[in-house]
Amino acid sequence: MPRCITAPSEHYKLALAVSMGGMLELYDFLIYALMASYIAEHFFPASDQLSSLLGTYAVFATGYLTRPLGGLFFGHLGDRFGRKKTFTLTIFLMALTTALMGCLPTYEEVGVIAPLTLVLLRLTQGFSLGGELPGAITFLSESAPQRQGLMIGILFLALMIGISLGTFLHGLLSMLLGQETMAQWGWRIPFWIGGLLGLVSYQIRKRFNESGLFAALDQARQQSTIPLILLLREHRKGLLCGLLLMALCGATVTVYGVYMSSYLSSILGLPQANVAWRTAVAFFILSPLSLLAGILTDIVNKRLLAISMALVVIILSFPAFQYFLTEAPQVRHIMMTCGLFTAVASGLLPPIIVRFFPTEVRYTGIATSYNFGFAIFGGLAPLSSTLIVQMTGTALGPAYYLAVIGTISLIAVLIPWPDFDMAKTECLDTTPTEKG
């Protein structure tokens, strides 16, 4: 057989285009958490700040909890009718709901209708994100199967920049508008910007071509099957392993990448603007680690990498949070630590699960394991961590949560992993096909 080309230049261009869309979609989804303190004040008024935040984080969790439904729905469409059409639709839905969030009336203006509408939009956000990131992972891995880790690493590098973009914008607006104006109406601006950028990304996605591996399937046979049933009947082991690894990824990324801004400002009392700036800088500087972690999965034993990641989270989370609670912690050191955990976990773990599933159920398999892992263990992380803080009186709540999830994830390394290696598929031409 002719030797496979590792990664042609068009694959890198494709990865950058896909990753830009993923970056904007994650920005749209996470801007809610970054604006949590303002949303709590306008939509969940309560006698004390912690109770108000709990209401806000409960809605945050609903966005995660609908991700599995979106993953099942869009995974079904993606495995039967194509990757490109499916994850183009998801970014349109995300852009629309994000823009509408910025236009909502407050509790003071319309009463209980305000939080109910917010919940509905948040559910729609989670539903669309459930198909977006698994679709991007599937599409990129099938477009360059010899360098899956590299391609997916580019995607998660962009996602890290998306987090940085959100926090940078938060800090910039806080500086330009001031705390009072931000609390009144300035918090809406990031939602409007996210919606606009999402529509731009939608236009870019429309120009994509289909994945070569999907195009190589027998389409008549593929469209007569139900991917979820096939997945549950023949690929349960891959599904379980993927879920456990994504549980670790979801908990780590959510605690260190999403929850920490509100944790530092609302629970530890650190200045919001300072936290936002430091987060933006740290995540931008450390974003290349996602790419390096992805590359590692191409050249190092994947089981060893998974074990190492779990042990690092279990062992180092307590010292990290103990430092956060010292009398005069340096915010830049805190956010560099958080960025390190987030970058490595997000770049290292998702590429591992790609080979757990064959092409005919890959979108559904990745979407199911990825979304259930993030929904159950990531979506509940802010709420669970805050509840632990409230119930125990110790601000080490997030560290306890991460230690438990890290321990659970180690079960995955005890199970024999399935391996559907796309790089061995007789050097198929996996360059995305022409639009037709």
Side-chain angles (χ1 to χ4, degrees), residues 319-382:
F321 275 88
Q322 286 170 347
Y323 170 72
F324 301 164
L325 298 174
T326 56
E327 291 186 4
Q330 296 291 319
V331 177
R332 66 176 182 273
H333 295 159
I334 293 176
M335 297 322 303
M336 290 295 284
T337 302
C338 294
L340 179 63
F341 274 102
T342 303
V344 175
S346 61
L348 197 67
L349 296 172
I352 295 177
I353 72 171
V354 168
R355 283 165 49 169
F356 289 173
F357 310 101
T359 302
E360 57 267 25
V361 295
R362 184 168 293 119
Y363 199 143
T364 301
I366 292 174
T368 303
S369 55
Y370 187 97
N371 286 308
F372 273 96
F374 267 80
I376 298 172
F377 303 98
L380 295 177

Side-chain angles (χ1 to χ4, degrees), residues 135-154:
I137 292 171
T138 304
F139 188 78
L140 288 176
S141 65
E142 292 180 349
S143 297
Q146 295 85 6
R147 297 303 300 275
Q148 299 165 12
L150 172 62
M151 295 294 104
I152 298 172
I154 294 174

Side-chain angles (χ1 to χ4, degrees), residues 250-266:
T252 304
V253 170
T254 303
V255 169
Y256 286 111
V258 180
Y259 176 59
M260 284 305 298
S261 293
S262 292
Y263 172 84
L264 294 175
S265 58
S266 301

Side-chain angles (χ1 to χ4, degrees), residues 149 292-308 348 351-352 355 417:
L292 294 177
I295 293 173
L296 277 179
T297 66
D298 286 330
I299 59 178
V300 178
N301 182 277
K302 294 177 174 59
R303 192 181 297 271
L304 177 61
L305 292 174
I307 294 173
S308 300
L348 197 67
I352 295 177
R355 283 165 49 169
W417 287 359

